[in-house]
């Protein structure tokens, strides 16, 4: 089993939190959470689901190199780990 860690950007939305995983997909992948704990859970779930059928894992961007979108006011950036 391999541990993978990816940066995640979380910011407040009208009804909860938006979540962006910039290293997945062409322009990053987005999900949402009802509260901060749920947003982190959803980020973990998104990463796990997207990488479950591959061994060609994208390289993780270092947290200090993550570009935060303009609309992500008051963003929280963190690393989220999964076991692949």
């Amino acid at each position: 089993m391999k541990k993978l860690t990816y940066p995640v950007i979380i910011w407040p939305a009208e009804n909860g939190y938006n979540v962006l995983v910039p290293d997945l997909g062409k322009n990053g992948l987005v999900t949402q959470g009802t509260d901060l704990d749920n947003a982190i859970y959803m980020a973990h779930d998104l990463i796990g689901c997207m990488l479950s059928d591959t061994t060609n894992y994208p390289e993780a961007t270092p947290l200090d190199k993550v570009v935060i979108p303009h609309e992500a006011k008051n963003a929280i950036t963190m690393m989220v780990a999964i076991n692949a």
Side-chain angles (χ1 to χ4, degrees), residues 68-73:
I68 298 172
H70 176 70
E71 67 272 12
K73 296 176 183 170

Side-chain angles (χ1 to χ4, degrees), residues 16-32:
Y17 288 85
N18 292 321
V19 180
L20 171 65
V21 183
D23 291 334
L24 300 183
K26 186 175 180 179
N27 296 311
L29 295 178
V30 178
T31 188
Q32 295 177 318

Side-chain angles (χ1 to χ4, degrees), residues 7-60:
V8 172
I9 303 165
I10 301 172
W11 68 97
E14 191 171 315
N15 294 314
Y17 288 85
N18 292 321
V19 180
L20 171 65
V21 183
D23 291 334
L24 300 183
K26 186 175 180 179
N27 296 311
L29 295 178
V30 178
T31 188
Q32 295 177 318
T34 55
D35 56 33
L36 188 54
D37 286 338
N38 183 246
I40 295 167
Y41 171 83
M42 295 302 290
H44 183 272
D45 188 58
L46 176 64
I47 295 167
C49 288
M50 293 307 297
L51 300 180
S52 66
D53 292 334
T54 187
T55 56
N56 185 20
Y57 305 119
E59 187 172 336

